[in-house]
Amino acid sequence: MNFFLRKSIIALTGLFLCVFLMVHLSANCILLFPEEVAREMYNSYSTTLRENPLIKIVAYLLYLSIIFHVLYAAIVTYRNRKAKPQRYAVNRTADNSTWTSQNMGLIGVLVLIFIVVHLANFWARIKLGIGEGVGMDNAGYVDVYEVTYNLFQNVYYVLFYTVLMIPLALHLNHGLKSAFKTLGFYHKKGLRIIARVSLFYAAIISIGFGVIPLIVFLK
Ligand code: HEM
């Protein structure tokens, strides 16, 4: 498979994940409503995710997208490193590329660590029924609202969820711009608009996800 095809897979799966994050953030805003309405709304949203057949198909697409995005990003990073292994005394690339673009590998790993921990916190418990605890009963019923509120009583989890939104912001800002370029968007003025939209998108997503655990903790 050639370099362009690999980059296109990273771009397309990345764009799909960006759409998922918008939907996911909107749904998680329910957590900020008063408890009387939020508990029922959040739990019925979670039940719909698990039981609606169409949403189940989208969920499988989401898992495949995460796997392909990570896999091809790792392959491209590895091949790029192999192609230019020597470090020069004067690093000219630093002149025309940002710190983020040079460290997308490291930033991507931090985002991946976040996702793995997050899936263990929620997805494994809710979808696979792994682990017991607050909000879960022996008959398999899960009060997802309770699971979430209980997790964010732990200050270490709150810090983890909040601090790791910094690499997520950097990753989304750079990734969104790169995805459009990879897919052939070279118009100069258009790229300037895309750069602004990417920054705005990355800020909304990371601030949104970063403040929810804080607000829940302080409630
Ligand atoms: C305030 C922060 C967040 C909260 C409270 C939260 C909550 C949840 C919950 C409750 C689920 C399980 C949904 C269900 O099946 O009922 C879930 C799944 C998931 N979350 Fe999050 N999430 C947060 C942030 C994030 C972020 C920042 C990402 C990605 C960078 C993410 C990625 C995912 C993925 C990939 C799934 C699996 C989706 C599925 O199986 O359908 N989440 N999250």
Side-chain angles (χ1 to χ4, degrees), residues 57-110:
I57 295 173
V58 178
Y60 286 120
L61 274 178
L62 174 73
Y63 307 147
L64 281 178
S65 295
I66 296 176
I67 293 169
F68 278 102
H69 189 81
V70 172
L71 190 70
Y72 282 101
I75 294 173
V76 167
T77 309
Y78 172 74
R79 296 215 167 200
N80 280 349
R81 291 249 164 98
K82 228 171 96 180
K84 20 176 182 158
Q86 67 277 62
R87 295 264 182 263
Y88 300 103
V90 178
N91 187 0
R92 293 239 168 260
T93 55
D95 295 342
N96 45 24
S97 64
T98 61
W99 182 89
T100 309
S101 69
Q102 287 176 49
N103 292 284
M104 273 303 262
L106 170 70
I107 293 168
V109 168
L110 291 175

Side-chain angles (χ1 to χ4, degrees), residues 20-21 24 28 42 46 63 114 118-119 122-123 127 209:
F20 161 75
L21 281 183
H24 198 44
N28 280 313
Y42 201 63
S46 174
Y63 307 147
F114 170 83
H118 178 53
L119 292 184
F122 290 102
W123 181 82
K127 289 220 167 142
F209 278 124

Side-chain angles (χ1 to χ4, degrees), residues 17 38 55-56 69 78 120 144 174 187 219:
L17 296 173
I55 295 182
K56 273 190 191 171
H69 189 81
Y78 172 74
V144 182
H174 180 77
H187 188 271
K219 242 181 172 186

Side-chain angles (χ1 to χ4, degrees), residues 22-216:
M22 285 196 285
V23 178
H24 198 44
L25 177 61
S26 316
N28 280 313
C29 286
I30 298 173
L31 291 167
L32 306 180
F33 297 167
E35 189 186 339
E36 308 82 78
V37 279
R39 185 183 294 271
E40 212 198 310
M41 270 177 87
Y42 201 63
N43 284 339
S44 76
Y45 143 75
S46 174
T47 308
T48 312
L49 285 188
R50 267 171 287 155
E51 292 176 1
N52 183 305
L54 267 181
I55 295 182
K56 273 190 191 171
I57 295 173
V58 178
Y60 286 120
L61 274 178
L62 174 73
Y63 307 147
L64 281 178
S65 295
I66 296 176
I67 293 169
F68 278 102
H69 189 81
V70 172
L71 190 70
Y72 282 101
I75 294 173
V76 167
T77 309
Y78 172 74
R79 296 215 167 200
N80 280 349
R81 291 249 164 98
K82 228 171 96 180
K84 20 176 182 158
Q86 67 277 62
R87 295 264 182 263
Y88 300 103
V90 178
N91 187 0
R92 293 239 168 260
T93 55
D95 295 342
N96 45 24
S97 64
T98 61
W99 182 89
T100 309
S101 69
Q102 287 176 49
N103 292 284
M104 273 303 262
L106 170 70
I107 293 168
V109 168
L110 291 175
V111 174
L112 186 61
I113 291 173
F114 170 83
I115 292 179
V116 171
V117 173
H118 178 53
L119 292 184
N121 287 156
F122 290 102
W123 181 82
R125 295 172 94 185
I126 296 163
K127 289 220 167 142
L128 307 180
I130 297 173
E132 283 171 35
V134 179
M136 301 167 80
D137 69 14
N138 293 335
Y141 175 76
V142 187
D143 182 340
V144 182
Y145 179 88
E146 197 62 41
V147 171
T148 312
Y149 262 75
N150 185 55
L151 186 81
F152 295 147
Q153 294 316 304
N154 183 327
V155 70
Y156 296 111
Y157 274 121
V158 174
L159 282 175
F160 177 82
Y161 272 73
T162 305
V163 172
L164 280 174
M165 289 307 101
I166 298 169
L168 181 69
L170 297 172
H171 191 79
L172 292 176
N173 182 33
H174 180 77
L176 207 51
K177 279 185 288 191
S178 300
F180 280 99
K181 279 191 211 156
T182 300
L183 297 174
F185 207 93
Y186 288 113
H187 188 271
K188 224 177 173 185
K189 199 170 162 206
L191 279 180
R192 261 198 307 251
I193 296 172
I194 286 174
R196 282 199 202 121
V197 172
S198 304
L199 186 64
F200 181 71
Y201 171 84
I204 295 287
I205 295 289
S206 51
I207 294 171
F209 278 124
V211 298
I212 290 174
L214 271 176
I215 296 175
V216 168

